[in-house]
Amino acid sequence: MRQVILDTETTGIDPREGHRLVEIGAVEMINRRFTGRTYHQYINPERHIDAEVVAVHGIDDAKVANEPVFAQVADEFWAFIEGAELVIHNAPFDVGFIDHELKMLKNRDQPLGPVGDHCRILDTLVMARKMHPGQRNSLDALCKRYDIDNGHRVLHGALLDAEILADVYLAMTGGQTALTLDAEVNQEQRNDTPSETGLSVQRMSLSPGQLRVIAPSQDERQAHLAKCETHQLRWFEDTPGNA
């Protein structure tokens, strides 16, 4: 399955108020493995960027003044996402802005979008709220919960946030991650704090056949079975009514 983990940055909160995209970042995975393909583009929004959001993502008018407008990059971006499952944190926000930009495209023989008609959409915020009800489920909160390093995330950035979200998504869904109960060792190696679960999560890049499976010897198998039988006997003897 082809998935694209995606994030955007904008000039403001609501496209219905004339706000536009200023940055798109996306990471491709196929069958839950990173392909190395990414999409990253700054965009000239053709309008002023609100100071409140500049404080969040650091993208001001000067930074995107010489970048292409969305119409100039629309085809390349669409080719990257079309047909994929899009993994997005708070998907209605990003998809709403993308669909707004697509609707504004003029003089096209074949209109692009809407996104939901051409891509499956998986909202990790909805997923996180179901998995962790009553808890904070922002991207930063999920990074802390799953012990994913986001220390380099001083400001929001579309590609950086997409890469972090990819790690979070794999951790949430039990994908390619390395788990260790040795929080002290991991903290020393990464100069990080252990997660609230006591597990450390790190991305692994494994080629097919690289992960070895070692079968137990006959002696090890017999020792395991004997231990299981001992525990079953203890449980039976300790259960009321079985004495």
Side-chain angles (χ1 to χ4, degrees):
M1 178 175 64
R2 180 172 180 266
Q3 294 174 298
V4 171
I5 297 82
L6 183 144
D7 186 64
T8 66
E9 302 297 342
T10 67
T11 64
I13 299 299
D14 195 339
R16 293 172 297 182
E17 297 178 357
H19 288 293
R20 306 284 300 273
L21 293 174
V22 295
E23 185 186 14
I24 303 173
V27 179
E28 183 185 62
M29 290 195 304
I30 295 180
N31 297 329
R32 299 176 60 81
R33 293 184 180 276
F34 295 93
T35 66
R37 292 186 67 219
T38 62
Y39 178 88
H40 183 230
Q41 181 64 59
Y42 289 107
I43 298 167
N44 183 338
E46 303 178 277
R47 58 151 291 157
H48 175 64
I49 305 174
D50 289 356
E52 309 91 82
V53 293
V54 173
V56 174
H57 54 52
I59 304 171
D60 57 17
D61 294 341
K63 186 167 184 176
V64 293
N66 296 318
E67 298 294 339
V69 299
F70 183 80
Q72 295 174 294
V73 302
D75 287 301
E76 181 182 7
F77 169 64
W78 188 254
F80 191 85
I81 69 168
E82 187 178 15
E85 179 179 68
L86 302 183
V87 179
I88 307 173
H89 201 68
N90 191 19
F93 178 87
D94 301 89
V95 173
F97 268 95
I98 295 170
D99 280 343
H100 176 70
E101 295 284 355
L102 295 174
K103 287 179 182 178
M104 294 178 66
L105 296 175
K106 306 296 183 182
N107 302 319
R108 294 190 60 89
D109 295 332
Q110 295 182 339
L112 302 179
V115 171
D117 289 350
H118 300 267
C119 303
R120 297 177 303 279
I121 299 172
L122 190 158
D123 191 338
T124 51
L125 179 58
V126 173
M127 179 188 301
R129 285 172 174 169
K130 291 179 180 178
M131 296 174 64
H132 310 289
Q135 300 183 52
R136 294 180 62 248
N137 289 299
S138 66
L139 188 56
D140 284 337
L142 291 173
C143 285
K144 182 177 180 180
R145 185 169 300 136
Y146 290 101
D147 196 22
I148 292 171
D149 182 13
N150 69 336
H152 49 307
R153 186 181 188 246
V154 179
L155 293 172
H156 288 252
L159 183 58
L160 174 60
D161 284 1
E163 291 172 340
I164 292 173
L165 179 58
D167 287 338
V168 168
Y169 168 72
L170 288 175
M172 290 173 66
T173 56
Q176 292 101 319
T177 54
L179 304 181
T180 174
L181 295 175
D182 192 349
E184 294 182 359
V185 172
N186 186 68
Q187 183 176 358
E188 180 179 343
Q189 290 175 342
R190 296 177 55 203
N191 193 26
D192 199 358
T193 56
S195 71
E196 60 192 56
T197 62
L199 295 176
S200 171
V201 181
Q202 297 175 322
R203 185 193 303 179
M204 296 179 66
S205 298
L206 296 176
S207 303
Q210 188 176 345
L211 186 63
R212 297 195 324 167
V213 177
I214 302 175
S217 67
Q218 187 64 28
D219 290 342
E220 290 170 335
R221 188 186 300 274
Q222 291 299 324
H224 172 72
L225 293 175
K227 195 171 188 67
C228 290
E229 290 176 1
T230 300
H231 282 292
Q232 287 178 336
L233 179 59
R234 287 177 180 171
W235 174 86
F236 182 83
E237 292 174 343
D238 291 341
T239 302
N242 288 334

